[in-house]
Amino acid sequence: RAGAEIKEIEPQLERLEAEMKILLLPKDPNDNRNIMLEIRAGTGGSEASIFAGDLLDVYRKYISAQGWQSTIIDSSPGDDGGYKNVVMEVKGDMVYSKMKWEAGVHRVQRVPATESQGRVHTSTATVAIMPECDEVDVNIDPKDIEISTMRSGGAGGQNVNKVETAVDLLHKPTGIRIKCTQERSQLKNKELAMKMLMSKLYDMENEKREMEERARRGSQVGTGGRSEKIRTYNWKDSRCSDHRIQQNYPLSQFLNGDIDPMISAMIMKDQEEKLQDLAQEAAAT
Amino acid sequence: TVEQAHDFATKLQRRMKHEPIQYILGQWDFLDYTVAIRSPLLCPRPETEELVMMIVNDTTQSPVHILDVGCGTGVIGISLADMLTDATVRAIDIEPVAIQTSNENAKRILGSQTEYRYQATLASAENFSPDRRFDVVVSNPPYIPQLDMKTLSKDVLHFESEQALCGGVDGMDVIRTIIRQLPNWCNPGGICWMEVDPTHPQLIQEWLEDSKSLDLGVKFESSYEDLYGKERFVKLSVQ
């Protein structure tokens, strides 16, 4: 009788042990944060911009399915569509924990819409995922910031009613320049631009730390560097390949915004590596 | 839809005649709020957003009773009422549309709290004799000097109320009226914040520090620059 009970309990024990191990893993302190998502067209001219726009569409679908909210902060349209650059704020539950796996260089191989002779081109777009932060995380000296607006010069005040509320912010020490045009209130644009700047600075510090951490671990899940090629999307083969885990997915799945399987695979791989790391450390002591 | 296209075309026509976009749309954003904006009221400028934030950061008193002189669309008083704890606001203007719009915007933003926290009434600065005294007086009075009026662009000159813009020869007419009224309106130690023409901070300081003006009972505290580097704001105190 006891023997039968043991047979029942054993698999449960194993499962609970596995769950416990995962709960004991060091957590990424940024996992529950909202993010600034930035997509920048890379090599490939106007086709790269179109691809950046395609990526944005995919993320929008995913964000909607997750029940998150998104707001575009700034964008520069591409010559034939899409974006040279687009920044979007994404808010919701545990956004960073999932979206962080999209950071890196995405490569596309297809015949561009603008291509008249049917040749396949390879273009890239870079996705940056920056956890949102506040003054506690990042200290910015007001003296380091130069703000300019479209309206610089001229009388101002009651004399003028120009609704150009765009704000251009330059962080002198790092040279980071941020333009914010989204809101109809200048002060709100200034706030948003500051938020973006803080996210970028925080992200820079984070990235450095994470790269060191992953290099130490000899991680295959990637160094998290923004110049790392993480995926290739091949239109002819209808395939999406993730280079970090050497897995392929149907392209249609990706284009439908159904990227959860890829993200879950990355999370699992990351957990496996962390578990191995933990085991090695334990063995060494 | 056809109606939407027609509506859009009509609005475009109005804009081509330089009508302010805020009037065409009937509303615009001020800080975190979307407010109704009606002709011929002054469309709030970004500098006024700065004025409000300056006051919010400088005011620690609670409860605090505020007077908004020349309230227009009401944005100054309403934002302060929303952002400061336990603040009540009286607002005055000589333009009936201002009173209507301010009270409407107050309901939009303050909701049920409007009843006991915000009231706009028709009155001029010269004639206003309130039944209470205030801790803070704030104003974005008409401050453009007469001669500068003709340099204004069409969208301002032809559409926004001249009464809301022109402050007389040196632009200081309404400002002077307000300053003279401060001892009647304020509690001792009361503060007055104003948005002004860049020529004014110096004029105001000279006037108040002149020995002949001592009986005015108002002290010049400081002037502040706006985002564009213009001396745009003054802070005064009542003895």
Side-chain angles (χ1 to χ4, degrees):
Chain A
R1 185 59 96 73
E5 252 189 71
I6 290 180
K7 273 210 179 123
E8 273 179 38
I9 294 178
E10 255 176 23
Q12 280 183 38
L13 261 178
E14 276 177 30
R15 189 173 44 82
L16 284 171
E17 215 182 292
E19 281 179 23
M20 247 173 53
K21 278 193 189 152
I22 291 184
L23 286 171
L24 286 172
L25 288 177
K27 298 218 186 342
D28 187 333
N30 294 319
D31 267 351
N32 62 349
R33 291 185 190 236
N34 297 328
I35 62 165
M36 294 281 185
L37 183 159
E38 183 176 17
I39 308 178
R40 198 176 276 275
T43 53
S46 62
E47 158 70 350
S49 295
I50 296 174
F51 176 53
D54 295 338
L55 279 178
L56 188 71
D57 283 340
V58 168
Y59 292 139
R60 272 192 160 135
K61 289 181 185 147
Y62 181 63
I63 287 165
S64 176
Q66 291 288 309
W68 297 335
Q69 268 86 46
S70 65
T71 324
I72 297 214
I73 306 273
D74 189 32
S75 62
S76 306
D79 294 327
D80 291 301
Y83 299 96
K84 287 190 173 123
N85 177 251
V86 61
V87 182
M88 190 161 79
E89 186 183 26
V90 183
K91 284 178 149 153
D93 203 35
M94 305 295 286
V95 175
Y96 184 72
S97 71
K98 298 197 167 178
M99 291 302 292
K100 64 183 177 184
W101 302 110
E102 294 302 304
V105 176
H106 299 242
R107 197 167 59 159
V108 63
Q109 292 164 334
R110 66 185 180 186
V111 178
T114 50
E115 164 65 36
S116 52
Q117 293 182 336
R119 289 170 298 184
V120 172
H121 288 230
T122 301
S123 318
T124 63
T126 305
V127 172
I129 303 288
M130 295 165 278
E132 257 186 10
C133 59
D134 52 39
E135 293 86 21
V136 182
D137 309 300
V138 173
N139 213 349
I140 301 184
D141 188 345
K143 287 195 238 72
D144 288 338
I145 302 210
E146 219 173 76
I147 303 183
S148 63
T149 64
M150 293 303 211
R151 244 228 279 148
S152 305
Q158 286 174 357
N159 301 52
V160 179
N161 183 21
K162 289 226 181 324
V163 295
E164 287 133 12
T165 48
V167 165
D168 193 297
L169 194 145
L170 172 68
H171 185 239
K172 291 184 277 198
T174 58
I176 296 179
R177 180 168 234 118
I178 298 185
K179 184 165 70 83
C180 190
T181 55
Q182 244 10 73
E183 300 291 331
R184 298 194 300 188
S185 148
Q186 192 177 81
L187 227 63
K188 288 199 78 180
N189 277 331
K190 190 167 141 197
E191 274 170 23
L192 267 177
M194 281 298 291
K195 233 180 173 179
M196 256 169 66
L197 175 65
M198 285 197 283
S199 284
K200 280 206 173 175
L201 291 173
Y202 186 60
D203 183 53
M204 271 165 58
E205 288 172 24
N206 264 342
E207 199 199 325
K208 193 166 137 237
R209 213 178 342 111
E210 265 176 47
M211 277 176 73
E212 289 165 6
E213 165 71 25
R214 293 217 158 106
R216 183 186 67 76
R217 228 193 295 149
S219 169
Q220 287 178 297
V221 168
T223 58
R226 44 191 67 218
S227 48
E228 186 204 351
K229 284 197 184 58
I230 60 167
R231 289 204 201 108
T232 298
Y233 307 91
N234 189 297
W235 250 244
K236 181 167 74 77
D237 300 335
S238 284
R239 188 189 60 220
C240 157
S241 312
D242 197 307
H243 306 298
R244 298 166 290 184
I245 47 179
Q246 279 92 45
Q247 271 189 40
N248 292 335
Y249 299 87
L251 183 63
S252 55
Q253 186 180 45
F254 178 78
L255 293 177
N256 280 334
D258 186 12
I259 58 177
D260 232 6
M262 296 179 225
I263 289 179
S264 301
M266 290 297 297
I267 292 179
M268 256 177 54
K269 186 74 190 257
D270 186 51
Q271 278 173 355
E272 269 172 35
E273 289 187 357
K274 282 191 172 133
L275 278 170
Q276 279 176 17
D277 205 38
L278 216 67
Q280 279 172 4
E281 274 181 31
T285 49
Chain B
T1 67
V2 175
E3 293 94 47
Q4 283 173 336
H6 180 66
D7 185 48
F8 184 58
T10 314
K11 289 195 158 88
L12 267 181
Q13 295 264 8
R14 288 167 71 179
R15 189 64 185 129
M16 289 202 293
K17 296 203 180 100
H18 305 280
E19 186 175 343
I21 193 146
Q22 297 95 328
Y23 288 169
I24 298 173
L25 296 178
Q27 62 182 28
W28 200 255
D29 286 0
F30 182 82
L31 292 174
D32 276 318
Y33 316 103
T34 303
V35 293
I37 305 194
R38 307 250 152 73
S39 170
L41 307 178
L42 197 71
C43 303
R45 318 306 206 219
E47 287 88 345
T48 312
E49 289 180 325
E50 284 186 84
L51 175 65
V52 169
M53 291 318 294
M54 234 177 255
I55 300 175
V56 168
N57 291 328
D58 190 69
T59 306
T60 48
Q61 188 177 354
S62 175
V64 62
H65 303 289
I66 303 171
L67 174 65
D68 181 358
V69 182
C71 56
T73 50
V75 288
I76 298 178
I78 297 170
S79 310
L80 291 174
D82 189 59
M83 287 191 273
L84 291 172
T85 6
D86 252 335
T88 67
V89 177
R90 279 297 291 280
I92 61 171
D93 204 293
I94 57 173
E95 167 59 60
V97 177
I99 305 309
Q100 195 187 354
T101 309
S102 296
N103 284 325
E104 184 191 320
N105 280 327
K107 284 208 196 68
R108 265 198 201 199
I109 291 163
L110 302 173
S112 54
Q113 298 207 347
T114 310
E115 206 187 310
Y116 49 94
R117 296 187 64 204
Y118 188 90
Q119 189 189 26
T121 51
L122 201 63
S124 72
E126 290 102 347
N127 298 329
F128 184 57
S129 284
D131 46 7
R132 67 152 311 123
R133 287 183 174 255
F134 300 96
D135 308 305
V136 178
V137 171
V138 60
S139 184
N140 180 17
Y143 59 66
I144 302 181
Q146 183 67 54
L147 285 177
D148 290 349
M149 288 299 287
K150 56 180 187 285
T151 67
L152 304 181
S153 58
K154 285 200 189 71
D155 62 340
V156 177
L157 203 51
H158 294 175
F159 290 93
E160 291 181 298
S161 158
E162 196 195 329
Q163 264 177 354
L165 292 164
C166 186
V169 176
D170 58 359
M172 291 261 291
D173 285 356
V174 181
I175 293 172
R176 274 186 287 262
T177 305
I178 292 174
I179 291 177
R180 289 203 177 94
Q181 283 279 48
L182 288 176
N184 300 328
W185 289 342
C186 291
N187 288 319
I191 302 286
C192 172
W193 288 91
M194 286 192 283
E195 181 186 320
V196 298
D197 185 83
T199 57
H200 292 167
Q202 188 179 0
L203 291 177
I204 295 172
Q205 185 169 14
E206 281 169 3
W207 176 37
L208 291 178
E209 287 175 1
D210 187 292
S211 51
K212 284 178 268 170
S213 309
L214 286 177
D215 58 338
L216 280 172
V218 177
K219 179 166 170 254
F220 182 90
E221 293 284 345
S222 183
S223 71
Y224 300 91
E225 282 185 2
D226 62 26
L227 189 56
Y228 308 99
K230 299 237 157 64
E231 261 196 292
R232 184 61 68 188
F233 311 110
V234 294
K235 179 182 177 188
L236 314 174
S237 64
V238 182
Q239 319 300 158

